[in-house]
Amino acid sequence: QICDEHLLHSKDSIIALYLSSMFALQKGSLDNTNLITLIDIFQKNHKESIVTYLCENILEDDPNNKFALRTLANNLLAENNEKVWDLYKKIIKIDFSEADLAKVLAKHYEDEGNEEEAIEYYKKALLRYINNENYSGTTEMWSKLITYIPDNIDFFQLARRKMAKSFGEQKTVSPMEDLYQYYKDSQQWDTAIEILKQNIEIEPTYQQLRKNLIECYRGKYANHSQLESCIKSSNIEQGYRNIFEAITDFEKHIAFDKNNFVFHRSWGVGKIINMEKDLLTIHFGKKFGEKEMSLKMAVDALQPLAKNHIWVLKATK
């Protein structure tokens, strides 16, 4: 009480500020005003050793005091003291909104060649920039992680969902396009197509997305005997055709090709053994034999099955 009264008249009294700060720490007070003022005075007078001493004293009583940790870290950084990295890690652990230091740590480990730690902190930085609604920081970390872990599609999809909440769906299109480029170049067509479909949901009139999707379909179904016919019949290349209807039509028709498997409610699992123009010949095993039907009828009556579908494995193995 004496200290506080003295500070009303002598606001820069070192002794009063120090004693008041120490009493506040012992009481567990959340008010660090006098402490901050005291340390600021010593910093302005370039008394770094006293600042370090004060911060270490504070941390003995309050190990998670953010102000003391940050101030001490700044001092250690100025001295090129390697202990600063451990302090940064501690700050990041107790302050879940801290993104900049996560980025600094990631760069530090990257420069050291420690890729695993660099990736871990780039991830933290990305997710925290998203939570802080910092779009430029988010895209910077996104680009960095594409160079390290482009195959970790689950992480990027998680980040995309968080970005949609923080910035709106529209802001996710460009980052996902950057990721799409990797999957397209590495010919991982299914994932590339999934990303394009997500972007088309957001921007259905963006014609470049339609063109990219057709290019991926051509890559995925390069060996399909009816590829061009399916593209043409679905009108997916035509800008006037509703893109979602065109995708549905194309994917229904492209599923039917020679050696592909299908399921009929009465005849069970069958294998397409021949396809000429719009006529399919399907073998449904010994019991039902071969059946012929038009492609139009097949689209309505048959369910396409992947070659590793459990029904196909049971029927063939």
Side-chain angles (χ1 to χ4, degrees), residues 61-279:
D61 285 329
D62 182 7
N64 293 331
N65 187 291
K66 293 179 188 178
F67 173 74
L69 285 168
R70 288 177 184 277
T71 306
L72 184 57
N74 289 338
N75 268 20
L76 294 178
L77 184 65
E79 298 168 3
N80 289 320
N81 189 321
E82 284 297 308
K83 291 180 181 178
V84 71
W85 306 114
D86 290 331
L87 277 182
Y88 281 169
K89 287 162 92 169
K90 187 167 186 179
I91 292 167
I92 288 167
K93 274 186 181 178
I94 63 174
D95 186 350
F96 297 114
S97 66
E98 179 53 67
D100 290 336
L101 286 186
K103 174 185 167 184
V104 169
L105 264 174
K107 183 69 169 63
H108 166 69
Y109 285 119
E110 185 178 45
D111 292 342
E112 281 194 338
N114 189 337
E115 190 174 302
E116 186 177 342
E117 288 286 344
I119 290 168
E120 189 61 30
Y121 283 103
Y122 276 131
K123 281 182 176 181
K124 287 183 189 295
L126 170 63
L127 295 175
R128 291 175 182 202
Y129 279 131
I130 294 172
N131 289 338
N132 297 342
E133 297 185 0
N134 182 333
Y135 188 69
S136 62
T138 297
T139 53
E140 183 187 353
M141 296 302 97
W142 182 282
S143 298
K144 181 64 76 170
L145 284 167
I146 286 178
T147 66
Y148 277 119
I149 52 167
D151 285 309
N152 193 343
I153 187 65
D154 290 339
F155 173 78
F156 284 108
Q157 290 288 18
L158 167 69
R160 183 193 70 81
R161 290 192 292 273
K162 289 180 177 290
M163 284 173 68
K165 289 181 181 178
S166 290
F167 310 114
E169 293 276 2
Q170 198 77 25
K171 289 286 191 179
T172 67
V173 173
S174 181
M176 291 302 286
E177 276 191 342
D178 294 339
L179 185 62
Y180 149 77
Q181 197 61 46
Y182 164 78
Y183 285 99
K184 179 201 164 192
D185 292 344
S186 57
Q187 298 188 357
Q188 297 184 54
W189 303 118
D190 286 337
T191 307
I193 289 167
E194 177 191 357
I195 292 170
L196 287 170
K197 284 181 179 179
Q198 286 175 340
N199 280 354
I200 288 169
E201 286 280 348
I202 300 164
E203 290 196 339
T205 60
Y206 184 19
Q207 292 303 310
Q208 187 58 49
L209 292 176
R210 185 190 287 254
K211 290 177 183 175
N212 291 344
L213 183 63
I214 295 165
E215 189 177 351
C216 287
Y217 278 144
R218 284 201 161 102
K220 179 178 179 178
Y221 298 108
N223 299 320
H224 196 292
S225 63
Q226 302 298 311
L227 172 62
E228 293 306 320
S229 172
C230 291
I231 288 175
K232 187 176 180 181
S233 65
S234 66
N235 284 323
I236 196 169
E237 289 183 301
Q238 309 307 318
Y240 63 79
R241 178 81 201 274
N242 179 289
I243 184 64
F244 303 110
E245 293 175 2
I247 289 171
T248 301
D249 278 359
F250 174 81
E251 293 189 345
K252 272 184 180 178
H253 287 81
I254 202 71
F256 299 99
D257 194 24
K258 187 176 179 180
N259 295 324
N260 282 5
F261 290 90
V262 294
F263 176 79
H264 187 276
R265 280 179 295 179
S266 300
W267 304 326
V269 175
K271 182 178 182 180
I272 301 171
I273 57 174
N274 194 34
M275 188 169 183
E276 291 184 9
K277 294 185 179 179
D278 284 344
L279 188 65

